[in-house]
Each structure stands twice: as C-alpha cells, then as structure tokens.
Amino acid sequence: KDKVLIAYAGWAKKDVHVKLDLNWKALNLDPEQVTLTAPAIPGFQEEHHYRSLDDISVPAAKGGIIIMEKR
C-alpha cells in the first residue's frame, strides 16, 4: 500500500538520462513524502538514493529497480 517498485530498462547503445513521469494521484502518494532508493543488487546495480525521478541514469542496454516508499 505504501510502496511502489519501479523497474526500468533501456536498449540505447549509450548511457541516457530519463525523467519518470508518474501519476501520483493514482498511486495515492505525495512526491514530497516518499523515499526513492535503488537497492544494491550484486551484479546488477549499486545502491543509490534519489531526490526525485527527474534525472535517472540508464546505462547502455541495461536497466534498474527503484523502490519508492512513503515516509
């Protein structure tokens, strides 16, 4: 209820930056009241904490996971 798993992927041949645009009302969450964490997953991604979803780095031909959780 208070957590969302975001999975993303890219097939570009170079690293890209994307902005994720969510329907916060449909999620019943306030963007100012959530934490955004990419959990460490060995061989897949390093842990990272985001301030927003406005600038997500997507490595070439890879993807990642972000956990959004209500504070």
Side-chain angles (χ1 to χ4, degrees), residues 28-45:
N28 198 30
L29 291 170
D30 177 350
E32 301 296 322
Q33 299 297 318
V34 297
T35 58
L36 302 164
T37 306
I41 302 172
F44 182 65
Q45 71 181 17

Side-chain angles (χ1 to χ4, degrees), residues 50-65:
Y50 295 93
R51 290 181 177 212
S52 75
L53 297 172
D54 290 343
D55 185 25
I56 306 299
S57 177
V58 183
K62 299 224 183 236
I65 293 171

